[in-house]
Amino acid sequence: MECWTAVPSPHDDHVGEGQMIAQLHGIDAVREAIDELTFFARTEDLTTEPTGVLAEESIAVSHPINMRLLRRGVRLRTIMGAAILQDEPTLTYMRELVSHGAEVRVSHQPIERVIIVDRSAALTPIDPAHTARGALLVREPGLVATLVTLFERMWEAADELPSEEVDLPSDVERDILAMLREADKDETAARQLGMSVRTYRKHLAAIMRRLGAANRVEAALLAHEKGWLA
């Protein structure tokens, strides 16, 4: 998947396969590396996008790459930041990939930026705090294995991408959302709904994850915007 946020540079790197670690400066060099890695991918492509939002240009560039991978039977797994739940173009694009066999999860915790192909090569930012500096192309087996382990941990901690069919809240979830406006304490809300405080809080946490809300007030506002609350 192509969604790197580097800026153009007149000094593109030409990386040979024999190099274990190489620096790529500029979006053209990064895209060239991604295109080459995915062109020869045989089994698996692992990708993360911490921001959770893809620009229109990134979607246009990555769409043919990802569809090519899926047609060839390459397993495509992607972890998106929670902001995807509020960005319709990115959400629609990810759901399209899922309909063609991709696996997409949403992380509500901070995740690291990485692309790993066939567990033999990886791309990661030169400077995670300033991704515009470019990327590191890593082929050193030990480092790639460590990045795979990191990806798997992030994957296990993430949630499944909600489908359009299950996007509406259940009756229990609607009742809990209504309690956000009617009850000022969890104990009061749980008692009115006939459930334990622990169960109430568990449902509420799940609802907040689905909405991508940082707190209860935001959850109520987002639920109202989505038409979940009258």
Side-chain angles (χ1 to χ4, degrees):
M1 174 179 296
E2 195 284 344
C3 42
W4 213 271
T5 55
V7 295
S9 168
H11 305 294
D12 291 347
D13 299 275
H14 299 281
V15 183
E17 287 195 16
Q19 290 183 261
M20 293 294 98
I21 302 177
Q23 291 191 8
L24 306 178
H25 298 284
I27 190 63
D28 290 338
V30 174
R31 284 179 174 171
E32 182 180 349
I34 292 173
D35 195 52
E36 180 178 350
L37 290 173
T38 55
F39 183 82
F40 292 104
R42 295 185 177 185
T43 59
E44 186 179 55
D45 183 278
L46 311 176
T47 306
T48 67
E49 177 45 62
T51 69
V53 176
L54 300 179
E56 183 178 345
E57 180 188 5
S58 291
I59 293 176
V61 172
S62 66
H63 184 272
I65 294 174
N66 288 325
M67 293 304 297
R68 184 177 67 199
L69 290 170
L70 293 169
R71 284 195 298 269
R72 295 209 316 265
V74 175
R75 186 183 184 190
L76 180 62
R77 286 194 287 161
T78 301
I79 307 172
M80 302 294 292
I84 184 178
L85 300 176
Q86 276 76 55
D87 189 78
E88 195 60 36
T90 303
L91 190 58
T92 298
Y93 173 49
M94 288 294 113
R95 284 174 172 161
E96 178 187 358
L97 293 182
V98 169
S99 72
H100 286 87
E103 300 168 62
V104 179
R105 290 190 178 184
V106 179
S107 176
H108 297 274
Q109 301 297 325
I111 56 177
E112 304 300 325
R113 183 74 177 97
V114 66
I115 297 174
I116 307 170
V117 178
D118 288 346
R119 305 197 175 207
S120 61
L123 283 165
T124 188
I126 292 175
D127 181 353
H130 302 90
T131 58
R133 289 187 58 192
L136 293 175
L137 173 58
V138 180
R139 298 182 186 274
E140 201 285 317
L143 290 178
V144 174
T146 298
L147 290 172
V148 170
T149 299
L150 173 62
F151 179 90
E152 295 294 355
R153 288 177 179 171
M154 294 188 293
W155 181 262
E156 288 301 319
D159 298 328
E160 295 289 341
L161 180 73
S163 65
E164 292 180 289
E165 291 74 17
V166 299
D167 198 38
L168 292 177
S170 65
D171 290 340
V172 171
E173 289 174 326
R174 287 185 187 277
D175 290 340
I176 290 174
L177 285 167
M179 285 295 105
L180 293 179
R181 297 185 301 186
E182 298 175 14
D184 57 353
K185 294 183 178 180
D186 290 352
E187 290 78 8
T188 302
R191 185 169 57 253
Q192 291 187 32
L193 295 176
M195 63 179 66
S196 69
V197 175
R198 181 178 181 180
T199 299
Y200 174 84
R201 288 173 175 167
K202 181 179 180 181
H203 281 300
L204 180 56
I207 293 170
M208 290 173 63
R209 286 197 300 270
R210 284 184 61 188
L211 291 167
N215 53 57
R216 299 177 186 210
V217 173
E218 186 179 9
L221 291 173
L222 290 173
H224 182 73
E225 290 175 2
K226 292 172 75 70
W228 289 9
L229 286 173

